[in-house]
Structures are given as C-alpha cells and as structure tokens.
C-alpha cells in the first residue's frame, strides 16, 4: 500500500473513532491514540525521510491535511460533547417557574397591639405624645408620687412582684404621669400624653385576671383643664373603638391619685343599651378609671395646683379586646396559640 492510501485509511479510521467517542475521556484517548507521539500519523511522518525527494512534498502535504482533519474533528466532537453535557445538565435542573411557590405566612400584630395601635392613632390625631416607660419601676414612682404612701390600704389591691424593697415590676402605667410631669416645661403649653405598656400584679390567673396585662395611661395637664374635657375625650375613645351611637357615663369611684375619681362606662356596643349577655343586662360596659389629677400628685411632680389642673385615665386594652371580639378568657391572649391569634387578622 502506498503512503497516500495508508494515510487515507488512517484518516478514515481516525475520524470514525472520534465520531464514536461518547464522552470527554474517550475523546482524549482518541487524541492520544491518533495524534499522539506514538500514534500512526507520527510514525508515518517520521518515515518521510525514506521517501524520494519528488514524492516527499505531496505526501508531506497530504499527511498535514490528515492531521488537520483529525484535529478539527476532535475539536468539533469535543464542543459537541460539551454542549450535550450542558444540555443534559440543564434538563436535569429544570425549574418550572410557573409553579406556584410555597406560601410564606404573613405576620400581623398581636390583637392587643392592634387595639393599642388604634388608640395611639386616635390620640396622636388629638395632639397627644406617646411615651413608654420602664416595666421595672421604682416604688416611688409606682406608688409614692401617685399619692399612695407606704401602708396605704390601696397598695394591697396591687400586691406585686418586688425585685428589691425599692424596685418592682410596675403594677400600673400611672407612674408615667409623674415621670412625664417632672420633665414637662409647662410654660411652653399643656402636657398631653398617653403611655401604653405591660403591667404586672401578683394575681391568681383566671378567666379575667392575668399576672401580666396591658394598660394605656392618659394624662392632660394645663391651664383650665376641666372634667368636661375628660368627658369629651372619653366619649371620643368609646366612639372610635366601638362605634358612633355610643354614649359615655361617669360613675363616682375612688383612686388615690385622682379627685374626684370616676369609672367610665360606654353604651354596650352589642345591644346599644337594651341589655344583653355581654353587658350583663345593664346596657353599659365598664371601660376605664379616670379622674381629675389629685393636687398632691401635681405638687409631688413639681406642678403648681393653683395654676394647673389636669385629668388622667387608665384603660385596659386586654379588656377592650375581650369586649370587641367576645373573648371570654384573658389567658388566651398570652398562650401564643396561632389558631387563636390568627383569628384577629387586621385585613380580614
Ligand atoms: N392605675 C389605675 C389602675 O391600675 C387605673 C387608673 C385609674 C388610671 C384612674 C388613671 C386614673 O390614670 O385616673 O387600676
């Protein structure tokens, strides 16, 4: 067989082998086999010296063509292979972007926080500032400055968690009255503030008592603040929370830090005054404690009772939430049971 025929055959076999290589390893092996130093093509090229000078250029060119053809075929096959591999990988990893995703549950404020937020909106709209105070409070602020001196019998009702004899978990948000009055510059205008937050009492927990609950304190102190202002304000709160047709009535009561003191009832939102289960047949729902700030309290916070007067109130967002949604056990608010809590979806 002449050189050319040998080369032609070699090209034929080489191209076939390359074409049949099914992975990158095989393609590499084919390269070594057909184009490597020990491969047939190299052998042939090495034998060129034995050819006659006339034959040499033509055979040499032909051998080069064969080498180029094989190199090209290898290159092409390699690219094909890489493309096939990539396609296979893409197929295996296909994601159907049109499939619905796993829904992420959207959170919402706790139902009591919703009530507090609604009250904050209302009061901020009426020009009140919102102040939060320490839950670990000084006995002086929690009792003393609120006209509840040591051994005052009203302290018993708020028997509480003491940390030291002078430091306790606050039993009410009322200490914020003293804290805010002390800081306020009355020459610049009246003080109007609300203070929502948690309070603590050593109560035995039952359906209507929890050792931790919420209060929202309100205080307005300035010149010529009267009980009529208190009444109008409370009426606004009742209407905002429970609806337009509701009225407010004040009953005499007692709190050490107010004089006179009242308890406020709002027309029952359920029966509008006719009498039903929710209002226990009275047509009224007890809502909050309030009164005109006691002169002693003003004095102890450095406010002149001859010049300034004020009203204060304290309401229970837990109780409002129970009333609004017909919740019968206050403890449900604090159990973190999502089945209970998600019922009060603001959007729903
Ligand atoms: N601090 C009182 C309590 O915990 C509630 C209260 C009553 C607050 C009358 C007031 C008020 O500001 O004027 O029972």
């Amino acid at each position: 067989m002449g050189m050319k025929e040998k080369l032609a055959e070699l090209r034929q076999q080489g191209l076939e082998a390359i074409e049949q290589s099914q992975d990158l390893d095989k393609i590499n092996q084919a390269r070594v086999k057909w184009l490597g130093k020990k491969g047939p093509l190299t052998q042939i090229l090495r034998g060129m010296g034995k050819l006659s000078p006339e034959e040499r250029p033509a055979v040499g060119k032909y051998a080069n063509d064969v080498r180029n053809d094989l190199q090209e075929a290898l290159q092409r096959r390699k690219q094909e292979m890489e493309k096939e591999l990539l396609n296979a990988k893409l197929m295996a990893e296909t994601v159907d972007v049109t499939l619905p995703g796993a829904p992420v549950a959207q959170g919402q404020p706790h139902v009591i926080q919703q009530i507090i937020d609604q009250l904050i909106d209302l009061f901020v709209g009426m020009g009140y500032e919102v102040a939060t105070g320490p839950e670990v409070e000084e006995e002086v602020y929690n009792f003393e400055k609120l006209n509840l001196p040591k051994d005052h019998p009203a302290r018993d009702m708020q028997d509480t968690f003491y940390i030291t004899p002078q430091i306790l978990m606050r039993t009410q948000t009322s200490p914020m009255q003293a804290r805010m009055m002390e800081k306020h510059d009355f020459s610049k205008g009246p003080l109007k503030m609300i203070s929502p937050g948690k309070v603590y009492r050593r109560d035995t927990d039952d359906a209507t008592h929890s050792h931790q609950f919420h209060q929202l304190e309100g205080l307005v102190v300035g010149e010529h603040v009267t009980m009529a202002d208190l009444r109008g304000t409370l009426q606004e709160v009742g209407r905002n929370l429970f609806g337009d047709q509701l009225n407010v009535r004040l009953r005499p009561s007692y709190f050490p830090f107010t004089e006179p003191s009242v308890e406020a009832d709002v027309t029952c939102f359920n029966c509008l005054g006719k009498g039903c289960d929710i209002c226990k047949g009275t047509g009224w729902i007890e809502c909050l404690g309030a009164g005109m700030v006691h002169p002693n309290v003003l004095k102890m916070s450095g406010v002149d009772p001859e010049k300034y007067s004020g009203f204060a109130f304290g309401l229970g967002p837990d109780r409002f939430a129970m009333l609004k949604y017909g919740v019968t056990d206050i403890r449900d608010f604090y159990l973190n049971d999502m089945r209970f809590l998600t019922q009060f979806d603001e959007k729903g």
Side-chain angles (χ1 to χ4, degrees):
M1 207 194 293
M3 274 296 203
K4 272 200 170 177
E5 287 78 27
K6 255 194 192 170
L7 282 165
E9 193 181 282
L10 194 150
R11 168 159 63 188
Q12 176 78 15
Q13 287 171 349
L15 289 176
E16 263 169 36
I18 291 164
E19 218 46 56
Q20 281 158 17
S21 305
Q22 286 307 329
D23 59 44
L24 292 173
D25 269 356
K26 293 266 160 50
I27 293 174
N28 247 336
Q29 285 164 17
R31 175 193 310 282
V32 174
K33 180 165 177 199
W34 298 96
L35 294 173
K37 283 196 191 106
K38 291 179 187 152
L41 191 60
T42 314
Q43 302 288 326
I44 290 172
L45 289 168
R46 273 199 198 126
M48 292 281 285
K50 290 183 204 134
L51 295 177
S52 64
E54 303 85 60
E55 266 182 317
R56 219 177 282 154
V59 174
K61 182 176 179 307
Y62 195 67
N64 268 333
D65 286 349
V66 169
R67 185 171 57 192
N68 287 342
D69 285 353
L70 290 176
Q71 265 167 355
E72 252 172 52
L74 275 165
Q75 189 63 19
R76 203 173 36 217
R77 183 69 191 125
K78 197 175 161 206
Q79 279 168 358
E80 261 173 29
M81 202 63 236
E82 280 167 353
K83 211 161 140 193
E84 276 169 33
L85 284 173
L86 183 63
N87 280 338
K89 200 168 169 223
L90 287 174
M91 285 300 282
E93 291 175 2
T94 301
V95 173
D96 182 350
V97 293
T98 65
L99 280 177
V104 178
Q106 201 185 348
Q108 71 192 56
H110 190 281
V111 55
I112 291 174
Q113 191 58 44
Q114 290 177 31
I115 301 264
I116 291 174
D117 288 344
Q118 198 180 341
L119 286 162
I120 288 177
D121 272 359
L122 170 67
F123 281 105
V124 166
M126 296 196 289
Y128 285 60
E129 63 181 298
V130 182
T132 50
E135 288 173 25
V136 179
E137 182 57 282
E138 293 172 45
E139 182 269 340
V140 176
Y141 282 99
N142 196 79
F143 291 130
E144 208 93 9
K145 286 176 188 256
L146 295 172
N147 208 24
L148 273 138
K150 285 222 163 49
D151 305 322
H152 191 291
R155 283 200 186 194
D156 286 352
M157 291 190 298
Q158 302 193 3
D159 203 4
T160 190
F161 302 109
Y162 278 88
I163 289 160
T164 71
Q166 284 81 37
I167 308 277
L168 48 80
M169 302 301 288
R170 68 176 177 194
T171 63
Q172 47 189 352
T173 45
S174 306
M176 284 306 285
Q177 292 189 23
R179 284 185 176 278
M180 294 301 283
M181 275 192 285
E182 284 176 357
K183 279 202 306 199
H184 191 75
D185 180 354
F186 285 90
S187 68
K188 299 229 167 82
L191 167 64
K192 295 168 79 178
M193 73 98 183
I194 55 165
S195 184
K198 291 195 197 80
V199 299
Y200 304 84
R201 289 185 197 179
R202 202 184 56 88
D203 274 335
T204 307
D205 292 1
D206 63 22
T208 55
H209 292 88
S210 165
H211 61 279
Q212 176 207 293
F213 58 102
H214 295 77
Q215 284 190 340
L216 186 139
E217 193 78 14
L219 177 70
V220 173
V221 178
E223 289 180 50
H224 314 300
V225 177
T226 71
M227 201 136 181
D229 299 319
L230 170 62
R231 193 177 196 293
T233 305
L234 297 183
Q235 186 127 348
E236 220 26 63
V237 177
R239 288 192 173 158
N240 180 267
L241 275 194
F242 297 117
D244 266 348
Q245 310 98 313
L246 306 189
N247 225 324
V248 171
R249 84 174 174 187
L250 304 181
R251 281 180 292 110
S253 183
Y254 172 76
F255 299 103
F257 34 88
T258 44
E259 181 59 37
S261 301
V262 295
E263 261 167 76
D265 301 334
V266 175
T267 319
C268 176
F269 60 90
N270 190 46
C271 63
L272 297 180
K274 290 192 203 74
C276 68
D277 275 356
I278 290 183
C279 61
K280 303 194 187 87
T282 64
W284 295 96
I285 289 174
E286 191 190 315
C287 247
L288 48 83
M292 300 307 290
V293 182
H294 197 292
N296 286 351
V297 173
L298 292 173
K299 255 187 265 172
M300 278 187 278
S301 294
V303 181
D304 179 1
E306 299 299 325
K307 191 163 180 204
Y308 300 104
S309 57
F311 66 78
F313 58 87
L315 56 85
D318 306 63
R319 200 171 148 65
F320 276 35
M322 288 174 83
L323 288 171
K324 184 166 176 180
Y325 295 111
V327 174
T328 50
D329 195 328
I330 191 173
R331 291 168 294 191
D332 286 334
F333 290 132
Y334 299 103
L335 292 178
N336 287 341
D337 185 336
M338 291 305 284
R339 289 167 304 178
F340 173 79
L341 294 173
T342 52
Q343 294 177 90
F344 310 101
D345 192 334
E346 278 178 306
K347 298 166 284 314

